[in-house]
Amino acid sequence: LLLSSAAPLASTNELRLRLTTAILSEDLAEQTRLIGSLIGADDPVVQQALVAWRGGAVYLFETNNLKVPVLLDSQADADGNVKMIRIADGDNAKAGDGTPLLVTPTDLTPVDASSKLRKIIKETLDLFALGNPNPKMRRDAITKLGQDQNASYTPHLKSLLGKEKDPEVRTALVEAMAIIDLAAPE
């Protein structure tokens, strides 16, 4: 279902635009394609937004007939109002005078994520660590993926094997693919 992690990664702005487009789309096929293209992204806002979306914590802020996907700041003021963080650029949503907009969380519409979409997001998040610059983190993520025995991870692991330079990570890739193969019905 997901795109190969072998595709070259885009700029941070492009990745956030893809995520924003996926959130605003109502077409599961388009959402699947866009979310899959985020595998290996090294952007904490993208990862945070995917986790939040899967958990029902991405909201739509609607203004001037425009829907803006946002995350909510964890710090509330004395009245329970919070700042909104635009997913498209990671900046606070601001009023015309440049001050951050504050909202009551119950005034916003959460973005729906069907069970199929939550599964796609989970797989993407599982594969996120494959792009980690730390080889030990990549190795540990690969080991975890192998233990999941999910055959849909195999193309991503095979793709990585051709590019991976670290011997420990390469060994983990071979072992993970073997463990996945053991669980295959054929």
Side-chain angles (χ1 to χ4, degrees):
L1 266 183
L2 299 176
L3 293 179
S4 168
S5 57
L9 291 178
S11 69
T12 299
N13 290 341
E14 174 62 25
L15 293 170
R16 291 180 185 177
L17 177 62
R18 288 181 197 171
L19 178 56
T20 299
T21 303
I23 291 168
L24 293 173
S25 176
E26 295 180 14
D27 179 5
L28 182 62
E30 179 183 29
Q31 289 175 317
T32 300
R33 181 183 58 76
L34 290 167
I35 292 168
S37 74
L38 301 173
I39 293 171
D42 188 22
D43 181 1
V45 172
V46 169
Q47 188 170 10
Q48 178 185 5
L50 284 171
V51 169
W53 188 10
R54 186 168 179 246
V58 167
Y59 298 89
L60 288 180
F61 175 65
E62 299 184 43
T63 180
N64 301 329
N65 294 325
L66 184 66
K67 295 179 180 181
V68 180
V70 296
L71 299 171
L72 301 182
D73 193 323
S74 59
Q75 298 294 320
D77 68 8
D79 298 323
N81 295 320
V82 295
K83 294 177 189 174
M84 296 177 290
I85 302 161
R86 292 185 308 252
I87 292 172
D89 60 12
D91 198 9
N92 288 324
K94 295 180 180 153
D97 63 4
T99 59
L101 286 172
L102 297 175
V103 296
T104 304
T106 56
D107 290 342
L108 296 176
T109 305
V111 177
D112 187 36
S114 67
S115 61
K116 286 182 181 180
L117 188 57
R118 286 192 306 274
K119 181 179 179 197
I120 291 163
I121 293 170
K122 179 195 179 304
E123 287 184 7
T124 299
L125 288 168
D126 288 348
L127 293 165
F128 243 76
L130 298 179
N132 193 306
N134 182 335
K136 295 196 183 320
M137 298 293 285
R138 287 195 309 276
R139 180 202 63 207
D140 293 349
I142 290 163
T143 300
K144 180 187 175 298
L145 292 174
Q147 291 169 347
D148 285 350
Q149 297 181 327
N150 182 339
S152 71
Y153 295 151
T154 300
H156 302 284
L157 298 175
K158 281 183 181 176
S159 167
L160 249 167
L161 188 59
K163 298 182 283 184
E164 184 58 56
K165 304 291 185 232
D166 186 278
E168 283 187 39
V169 177
R170 289 184 60 79
T171 299
L173 283 164
V174 171
E175 289 173 357
M177 288 186 289
I179 291 170
I180 291 170
D181 285 348
L182 285 173
E186 65 277 349

